């Protein structure tokens, strides 16, 4: 029987305590938000990956707060149960804590989302603390942090165990309600999960995390760009869509669409 109560950050903590895994997927628009919610996905992340998989940018770096708000509003409108988290894009929180407060507040007010996510560990702990203190729930993100791809020298697995542990603890101690761990060896991610008292959500971080997140377009085979090895593709929608569009084109060209059933008399 479906539990239709909206997911809260407190519920996510309870799930960790009970050993109940958290299912999170990215979402960027109203129709998919409805599908994700109907599938009882616990958390919908309006990721700044929208820049890559929807807008076609080469990385997440060009994404703006206005773009996140546009997509965030659509997702919130399509969601009843899932907890909606919106990514703070590059340069919306790194320059100053005052900036971070203003931009996180703007994202929450304009969209109605429950929480924001930002990338970074020890260095971002004061920012996370400042947001949490004014009532803004924050999801942390450590390991491979795509906004820092140029600093990291590419999208690489992060293996510095001591730094990763310190980052995760700093984010949790600052009051984040959870932490995404991206592209980290499974044994290190499992150790982090045991070391922190907030849920860890892994992506390319093995099965030892408290939950998992995947990028929607990758898991559904919607965009045929490079697919990282950690992604499991649960559907292959691009060929289905191409076939449907080809059939439509052929029927228009042949004059067989619209038929009488699609016409008014
Ligand atoms: O932007 C995003 O989709 C993300 C996930 C990869 C965690 O940050």
């Amino acid at each position: 029987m479906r539990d239709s109560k909206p997911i809260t950050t407190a519920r996510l903590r309870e799930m960790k305590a009970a050993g109940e895994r958290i299912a999170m997927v990215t979402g960027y628009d109203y129709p998919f938000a409805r599908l994700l919610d109907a599938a009882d996905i616990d958390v919908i992340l309006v990721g700044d990956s929208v820049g890559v998989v929807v807008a076609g940018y080469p990385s997440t770096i060009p994404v703006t707060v206005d773009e996140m708000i546009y997509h965030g509003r659509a997702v919130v409108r399509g969601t009843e149960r899932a907890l909606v988290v919106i990514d703070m894009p590059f340069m919306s929180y790194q320059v100053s804590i005052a900036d971070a407060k203003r931009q996180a507040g703007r994202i929450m007010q304009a969209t109605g989302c429950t929480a924001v996510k930002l990338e970074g560990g020890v260095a971002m702990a004061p920012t996370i603390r400042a947001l949490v203190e004014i009532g803004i729930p924050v999801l942390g993100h450590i390991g491979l942090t795509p906004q820092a791809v140029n600093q990291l020298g590419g999208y690489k697995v992060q293996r510095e165990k001591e730094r990763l542990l310190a980052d995760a603890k700093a984010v949790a101690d600052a009051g984040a309600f959870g932490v995404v761990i991206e592209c980290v060896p499974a044994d290190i991610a499992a150790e982090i999960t045991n070391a922190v008292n907030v849920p860890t959500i892994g992506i390319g971080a093995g099965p030892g995390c408290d939950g998992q997140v995947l990028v929607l377009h990758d898991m559904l085979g919607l965009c045929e760009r490079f697919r990282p090895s950690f992604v499991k593709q649960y559907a292959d929608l691009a060929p289905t869509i191409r076939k449907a569009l080809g059939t439509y084109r052929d029927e228009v060209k042949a004059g067989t669409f619209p038929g009488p059933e699609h016409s008014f008399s």
Side-chain angles (χ1 to χ4, degrees):
M1 173 79 172
R2 180 179 195 241
D3 178 2
S4 58
K5 275 207 298 283
I7 301 285
T8 60
T9 57
R11 175 80 190 106
L12 297 181
R13 272 193 298 273
E14 283 168 17
M15 288 168 81
K16 176 176 175 110
E20 194 185 327
R21 306 264 162 136
I22 297 162
M24 171 161 141
V25 179
T26 67
Y28 315 106
D29 60 26
Y30 177 81
F32 271 113
R34 287 183 58 108
L35 290 169
L36 290 162
D37 206 44
D40 284 348
I41 296 300
D42 300 305
V43 183
I44 302 177
L45 170 66
V46 186
D48 59 357
S49 51
V50 68
V52 178
V53 298
V54 176
Y57 300 145
S59 75
T60 58
I61 290 173
V63 177
T64 64
V65 171
D66 286 345
E67 287 170 315
M68 295 311 300
I69 287 175
Y70 173 80
H71 290 280
R73 289 172 69 125
V75 168
V76 169
R77 276 197 294 271
T79 306
E80 287 172 13
R81 173 185 174 271
L83 186 138
V84 178
V85 181
I86 299 186
D87 254 338
M88 298 195 67
F90 184 58
M91 281 300 119
S92 66
Y93 60 94
Q94 290 95 338
V95 174
S96 71
I97 286 179
D99 249 17
K101 286 180 175 172
R102 255 191 300 275
Q103 299 297 358
R106 209 180 133 220
I107 289 170
M108 291 192 74
Q109 275 190 318
T111 65
C113 72
T114 299
V116 296
K117 174 166 84 59
L118 58 84
E119 297 180 6
V122 172
M124 281 301 142
T127 305
I128 294 172
R129 182 168 288 110
L131 293 179
V132 172
E133 275 171 4
I134 59 168
I136 297 180
V138 178
L139 180 61
H141 183 156
I142 65 156
L144 170 56
T145 46
Q147 291 174 16
V149 61
N150 294 314
Q151 178 67 26
L152 296 173
Y155 297 97
K156 297 176 182 161
V157 179
Q158 303 297 300
R159 301 179 183 277
E160 287 173 56
K161 183 168 144 183
E162 294 315 316
R163 179 179 60 83
L164 291 163
L165 269 165
D167 280 343
K169 284 180 182 162
V171 164
D173 290 349
F177 67 86
V179 58
V180 169
I181 305 177
E182 180 164 354
C183 283
V184 166
D187 58 334
I188 300 179
E191 198 169 327
I192 292 172
T193 299
N194 288 330
V196 295
N197 60 1
V198 298
T200 60
I201 315 283
I203 175 162
C209 296
D210 297 306
Q212 299 292 326
V213 56
L214 284 176
V215 170
L216 181 74
H217 288 51
D218 289 342
M219 70 179 296
L220 295 184
L222 265 172
C223 71
E224 294 159 313
R225 61 184 186 123
F226 165 74
R227 179 158 45 88
S229 62
F230 60 77
V231 172
K232 179 168 176 185
Q233 198 178 306
Y234 285 83
D236 195 13
L237 296 188
T240 307
I241 293 169
R242 254 199 311 274
K243 187 158 174 265
L245 294 172
T247 305
Y248 164 74
R249 181 207 55 222
D250 291 348
E251 291 186 2
V252 169
K253 302 275 182 193
T256 55
F257 174 82
E261 71 278 30
H262 302 115
S263 305
F264 298 108
S265 52

